[in-house]
Amino acid sequence: MTNPGLSYRQPELRWMAIAGVAALCLHGLCWLGAIMLNGHSGAFAEVQRQVMLALFWMIGTLIIWKIAPSPSRLHAVMTVLACALFVCGIGSVFAIANLVFIQHYNLNSVMKTLGLASLLLLLMQLCLAVPSAILLQAIAMKRNSAAG
């Protein structure tokens, strides 16, 4: 009896690469649109930084799916968002550590403001990761047939 969940399309490596590149392009376009609406001057540098961060969580997700395929498309999207939350959370911790240990800011004076800003940025990153998560799993994964 076959697994009724999801599996990679064949050939695996080609579909993984196509899904990753397409999802990265969509993620970059989402970030560019969000930043341009805000009127940020260094939009392309920020988009480049966010796409590099997205590369880490997309590769992590593809590896997780290789180890343990998702039982459903919703589970696959939630796996992508969990990886995005993990990578972006680590990025926020490193940003706070940079301010405290490298740039010698007082932790008590910046923690409340930086904590709130980090939380808002993390929520924005997760919101902008949803379209990429849906596209990544839609391209890379296919439903197994229940017949067996």
Side-chain angles (χ1 to χ4, degrees), residues 4 26 31 46 54 59 80 82 93 109 131 137 141:
L26 178 62
W31 267 100
E46 181 64 22
I59 289 173
V80 177
V93 168
S109 66
Q137 63 83 27
M141 308 295 276

Side-chain angles (χ1 to χ4, degrees), residues 10 17 25 29 45-47 50 55 60 62 65 93 95 97 101 104 129-130 137-138 141 146-147:
Q10 297 298 323
C25 290
L29 287 173
E46 181 64 22
V47 168
Q50 292 299 329
L55 181 65
L62 291 171
W65 287 341
V93 168
F101 298 117
H104 304 293
V130 171
Q137 63 83 27
M141 308 295 276

Side-chain angles (χ1 to χ4, degrees), residues 86-121:
F86 178 73
V87 169
C88 295
I90 288 176
S92 294
V93 168
F94 282 149
I96 292 171
N98 176 33
L99 285 175
V100 172
F101 298 117
I102 306 294
Q103 297 180 12
H104 304 293
Y105 281 87
N106 186 1
L107 182 63
N108 295 330
S109 66
V110 298
M111 192 58 189
K112 189 173 188 178
T113 304
L114 192 59
L116 182 62
S118 293
L119 181 64
L120 290 174
L121 181 62

Side-chain angles (χ1 to χ4, degrees), residues 19-94:
V21 168
L24 280 173
C25 290
L26 178 62
H27 192 69
L29 287 173
C30 288
W31 267 100
L32 185 63
I35 291 173
M36 295 302 258
L37 284 175
N38 192 19
H40 194 270
S41 61
F44 291 107
E46 181 64 22
V47 168
Q48 181 183 10
R49 189 178 76 80
Q50 292 299 329
V51 167
M52 289 306 295
L53 279 174
L55 181 65
F56 286 109
W57 53 260
M58 286 184 192
I59 289 173
T61 302
L62 291 171
I63 291 170
I64 289 172
W65 287 341
K66 183 70 176 161
I67 294 170
S70 292
S72 68
R73 294 210 178 266
L74 179 63
H75 188 274
V77 169
M78 291 302 164
T79 303
V80 177
L81 294 178
C83 285
L85 178 66
F86 178 73
V87 169
C88 295
I90 288 176
S92 294
V93 168
F94 282 149

